[in-house]
């Protein structure tokens, strides 16, 4: 292993070990050192020769017991960063050497338990270390001092752009909005955290609000991947709801008002032409699990329901050629399925395939292709080092700094080849990047991050499918690094299929539309959510709730037939007492069948049950006396049999035909006997 490789390996380890240390006070070597934390409140994202002023503002918090006086802010700048391994070292250790250093006085003192802001503005054109002829990224350390002693510090990149980039890096970036299942099967809100996430400054509200503000000022192309279940639950909240604690939240108040406001802002953001919306399957199921569990028809239902709900709520048609699989779960079967659904571009995770870095250790290509038996799909892959930054807790606790660090990383990638040469075939080289932003990010990062990415002169945002078409050369074909193969148990999957058929039958029984059945279909789909893989007991609660409704409906249309019907003649009536349909009228078909009876008025009746204990009567004629049986069946209008029972009929009267035959035989005997008697009287003795 060469020395540079050893340095990079050690650096990668130290970044993780030392990253958290950057957010805690720096020590001066004494046990009584004051405790101070430092965070970045403001930093000029990039400077230029025409606008060289760098403004930095920080927040210093005294968490110790000692008042701090004689305060100042220190700035240290190092030589320009030439490679990404140097950038990682800068984040952990700051500049490797000092090219510029300055201090800026801070008036007043910092008392225990208080925080205050302080800052400075520095003209970078006066600093010899800042090259006025070439753009660059420079490592910097900002610290807070008392009496000249450094109390706390943070490392951040400075970006200086000399001229408008000739070949900006194309970037496909997307915001993914998802939420777990937050309502219980009884319709009550079980997760109060969802209320907070939809409120202003919440984890779901902020990305949407900042996207909407961004599009008003800088309408750059961006993708928005939405889980329809989030929209469904937010709309459910907006109409008013009850918490599992028993508290009721009326429409227009509290969390209901927050949900309504969230949906309003999301609708406004989605309406911009530069925002492309794609919808996941309704409840966020694992596509591999659905296919592996034999639920492909259910997956089709999930996708169509998700697209329709997204269109209904947001007022925009989702882009069907681009897909973000729920939770990034995929395997070859899932990619093949998406290909059959006309999906050509898949938004993937950064580690979905094994990726080699480009020439000279440059950032890997942002696309790859995977071929399945159904065709070829292109994956758009986020830049792994940038995604790693967005997962670092030590950065995310300081959102402005985190946004600046991400921008600096992308600037370093751009500087790898700011003016790439043409390809060997003479075609233009077009470099690309991808970035995935999830609603798991802290709310305060969205404003500084989106503004930086949208306005950066070295980045050119575009939609994912456009990046696939423009980047040159494209990524090499690959295979999935770790295909997802988890499935539901066969019993769970079979129950899902049976329940959906029962809900279809129930829907056909309704006389006032299918709204009630649509809710049941969605409840079954919620049970298919990826969060119930390996946790089927929790998902079964949704299936139990659906069964309770369909079972009650089927029971209410099942007649009571526990008595024996007795006819005193060959003809009679069979009165069937139906159940109680409740508040929802139900339509069914009742049918009697038996080879031992005739049905003069027909053996089928279509009935609408709208009250308890309705009587459905059939006129029947027995073909003979004695104890006989017939079948009573109830069918939904869809044709599905709801119930089947056997009833017993006792006929005590002779059958009319048998009686006629008997009477005829008796008359014949009388005639024969009379004839013989007459002959005997007429013959001589």
């Amino acid at each position: 292993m060469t020395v540079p490789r050893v340095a990079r390996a050690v650096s990668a380890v130290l970044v993780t070990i030392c990253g958290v240390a950057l957010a805690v006070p720096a020590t001066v070597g004494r046990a009584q050192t004051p405790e101070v934390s430092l965070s970045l409140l403001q930093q000029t994202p990039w400077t230029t020769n025409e606008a060289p002023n760098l403004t930095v503002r920080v927040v210093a918090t005294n968490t110790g017991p000692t008042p701090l006086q004689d305060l100042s802010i220190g700035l240290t700048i190092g030589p320009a960063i030439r490679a990404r391994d140097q950038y990682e070292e800068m984040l952990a250790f700051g500049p490797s050497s000092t090219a510029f250093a300055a201090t800026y006085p801070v008036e007043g003192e910092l008392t225990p338990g208080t925080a205050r802001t302080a800052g400075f503005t520095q003209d970078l054109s006066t600093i010899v270390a800042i090259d006025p002829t070439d753009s660059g990224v420079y490592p910097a350390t900002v610290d807070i001092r008392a009496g000249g002693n450094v109390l706390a510090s943070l490392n951040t990149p400075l970006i200086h752009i000399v001229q408008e980039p000739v070949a900006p890096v194309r970037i496909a970036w997307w915001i993914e909005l998802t939420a777990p299942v937050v309502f219980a099967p009884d319709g009550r809100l079980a997760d109060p955290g969802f209320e907070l996430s939809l409120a202003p400054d919440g984890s779901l509200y902020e990305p949407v609000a900042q996207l909407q503000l961004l599009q008003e000022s800088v309408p750059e192309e961006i993708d928005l991947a939405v889980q329809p279940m989030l929209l469904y639950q937010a709309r459910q909240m907006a109409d008013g709801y009850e918490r599992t604690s028993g508290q009721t939240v009326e429409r227009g108040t509290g969390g209901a008002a927050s949900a309504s406001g969230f949906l309003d802002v999301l609708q406004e953001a989605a309406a911009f032409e530069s925002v492309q919306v794609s919808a996941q399957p309704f409840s966020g199921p694992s596509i591999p699990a659905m296919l592996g569990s034999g639920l492909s028809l259910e997956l089709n239902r999930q996708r169509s329901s998700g697209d329709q709900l997204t269109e209904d709520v947001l007022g925009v048609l989702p882009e069907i050629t681009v897909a973000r699989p729920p939770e990034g779960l995929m395997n070859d079967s899932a990619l093949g399925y998406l290909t059959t659904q006309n999906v050509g571009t898949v938004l993937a995770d950064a580690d979905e395939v094994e990726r080699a870095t480009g020439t000279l250790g440059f950032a890997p290509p942002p696309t790859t292709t995977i071929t399945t038996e159904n065709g070829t799909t292109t994956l758009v892959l986020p830049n792994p080092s940038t995604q790693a930054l967005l997962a670092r807790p030590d950065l995310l606790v300081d959102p402005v700094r985190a946004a600046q660090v991400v921008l600096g990383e992308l600037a370093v990638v751009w500087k790898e080849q700011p003016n790439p040469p043409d390809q060997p075939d003479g075609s233009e080289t077009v470099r690309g990047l991808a970035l995935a932003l999830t609603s798991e990010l802290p709310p305060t990062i969205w404003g500084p991050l989106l503004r930086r990415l949208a306005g950066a002169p070295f980045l050119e945002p575009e939609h994912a499918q456009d990046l696939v078409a423009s980047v040159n050369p494209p990524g090499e074909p690959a295979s999935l690094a770790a295909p997802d193969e988890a499935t539901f148990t066969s019993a769970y999957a079979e129950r899902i299929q049976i329940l959906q058929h029962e809900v279809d039958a129930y829907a056909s029984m309704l006389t006032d539309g299918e709204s009630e059945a649509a809710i049941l279909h969605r409840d079954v789909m919620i049970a298919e959510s990826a969060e119930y893989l390996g946790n089927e007991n929790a998902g079964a609660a949704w299936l139990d709730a659906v069964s309770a409704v369909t079972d009650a409906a089927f029971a209410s249309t099942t007649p009571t037939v526990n008595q024996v019907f007795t006819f005193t003649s060959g003809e009679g009536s069979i009165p069937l007492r139906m159940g109680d349909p409740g508040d929802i009228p139900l339509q069914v078909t009742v049918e009697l069948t038996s080879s031992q009876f005739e049905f003069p008025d027909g053996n089928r009746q279509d009935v609408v049950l709208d009250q308890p204990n309705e009587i459905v009567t059939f006129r029947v004629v027995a073909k003979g006396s004695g104890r006989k049986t017939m079948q009573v069946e109830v069918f939904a209008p869809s044709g599905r049999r709801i119930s089947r029972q056997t009833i017993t009929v006792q006929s005590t009267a002779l059958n009319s035909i048998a009686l006629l035959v008997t009477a005829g035989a008796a008359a014949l005997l009388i005639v024969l006997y009379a004839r013989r008697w007459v002959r005997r009287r007429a013959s001589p003795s």
Side-chain angles (χ1 to χ4, degrees), residues 167-504:
V169 177
R170 310 288 180 89
I171 180 171
W173 52 326
W174 61 88
I175 298 174
E176 184 176 7
L177 297 177
T178 62
V181 178
V182 299
F183 279 89
D186 62 5
R188 298 191 297 171
L189 181 68
D191 182 1
F194 190 58
E195 296 171 303
L196 299 176
S197 70
L198 298 182
D201 300 329
S203 59
L204 286 168
Y205 183 91
E206 273 305 295
V208 172
Q210 294 300 329
L211 174 61
Q212 193 263 348
L213 291 174
L214 176 70
Q215 293 301 316
E216 288 182 344
S217 58
V218 187
E220 295 284 7
E221 293 183 338
I222 188 171
D223 288 348
L224 183 62
V226 179
Q227 184 192 80
M229 181 69 181
L230 164 62
L231 306 180
Y232 179 65
Q233 295 183 129
R235 189 169 65 177
Q236 192 173 351
M237 279 186 61
D239 290 335
Y241 58 96
E242 181 183 349
R243 301 188 182 103
T244 51
S245 63
Q247 295 174 300
T248 299
V249 179
E250 300 293 340
R251 182 183 180 91
T253 66
S258 296
S260 180
F262 166 78
L263 291 174
D264 288 343
V265 174
L266 182 55
Q267 289 168 354
E268 293 175 9
F272 285 96
E273 292 185 3
S274 50
V275 176
Q276 177 177 274
V277 177
S278 60
Q280 296 181 354
F282 168 70
S283 68
S286 162
I287 298 178
M290 295 292 284
L291 296 174
S293 303
L295 298 173
S296 57
L297 294 180
E298 277 299 292
L299 182 56
N300 291 339
R301 189 197 300 266
Q302 285 265 6
R303 294 196 75 238
S304 61
S305 178
D307 287 346
Q308 187 61 58
L309 181 66
T310 302
E311 181 182 354
D312 291 344
V313 175
L314 300 185
V316 297
L317 285 172
E319 174 57 53
I320 63 173
T321 64
V322 177
R324 165 62 181 168
E327 299 188 13
L329 301 173
M330 64 180 78
N331 59 12
D332 286 348
S333 296
L335 292 177
Y337 169 82
L338 291 174
T339 300
T340 64
Q341 302 297 304
N342 299 316
V343 173
T345 302
V346 173
L347 309 180
D349 292 337
D351 59 352
E352 200 62 59
V353 302
E354 296 289 346
R355 303 169 71 186
T357 55
T359 308
L360 304 177
F362 291 165
T367 64
T368 190
T369 56
I370 294 182
T371 300
T372 66
E373 59 182 11
N374 294 324
T376 299
T377 305
T378 301
L379 272 58
V380 179
L381 303 163
N383 187 44
S385 57
T386 311
Q387 292 299 137
L389 293 176
L390 289 171
R392 282 180 49 176
D394 63 300
L395 286 178
L396 297 180
V397 296
D398 193 349
V400 174
R401 176 171 171 256
Q404 185 67 20
V405 166
V406 168
L407 185 67
E409 165 84 9
L410 299 179
V412 171
V413 172
W414 163 63
K415 279 294 293 178
E416 290 173 349
Q417 279 187 306
N419 299 293
D422 290 342
Q423 293 297 300
D425 61 1
S427 61
E428 178 186 7
T429 297
V430 179
R431 300 187 65 213
L433 286 167
L435 189 62
L437 307 174
T438 72
S439 49
E440 297 176 354
L441 292 172
T444 48
I445 198 176
W446 288 98
L449 182 60
L450 293 185
R451 288 193 296 271
R452 281 169 166 77
L453 296 177
F458 50 85
L459 298 176
E460 186 174 330
E462 60 184 13
H463 294 310
Q465 72 269 34
D466 297 329
L467 177 73
V468 168
S470 63
V471 67
N472 186 37
E476 296 292 330
S479 58
L480 295 175
D484 297 285
E485 304 297 348
T487 62
F488 292 117
T489 63
S490 58
Y492 192 82
E494 183 180 2
R495 189 180 181 196
I496 286 174
Q497 292 174 318
I498 292 173
L499 269 181
Q500 288 290 36
H501 289 310
E502 291 183 352
V503 175
D504 286 336

Side-chain angles (χ1 to χ4, degrees), residues 497-575:
Q497 292 174 318
I498 292 173
L499 269 181
Q500 288 290 36
H501 289 310
E502 291 183 352
V503 175
D504 286 336
Y506 176 66
S508 71
M509 295 164 61
L510 298 173
T511 61
D512 57 350
E514 299 184 358
S515 58
E516 294 294 328
I519 294 174
L520 297 182
H521 277 307
R522 287 177 178 172
D523 284 355
V524 176
M525 288 191 288
I526 291 173
E528 298 165 356
S529 172
E531 68 181 85
Y532 296 128
L533 281 173
N535 188 23
E536 292 181 359
N537 286 338
W542 291 93
L543 302 180
D544 293 342
V546 173
S547 291
V549 175
T550 56
D551 289 350
F554 297 160
S556 71
T557 61
T558 300
T560 301
V561 293
N562 56 2
Q563 78 271 28
V564 176
F565 296 92
T566 302
F567 293 170
T568 57
S569 64
E571 180 178 335
S573 294
I574 301 293

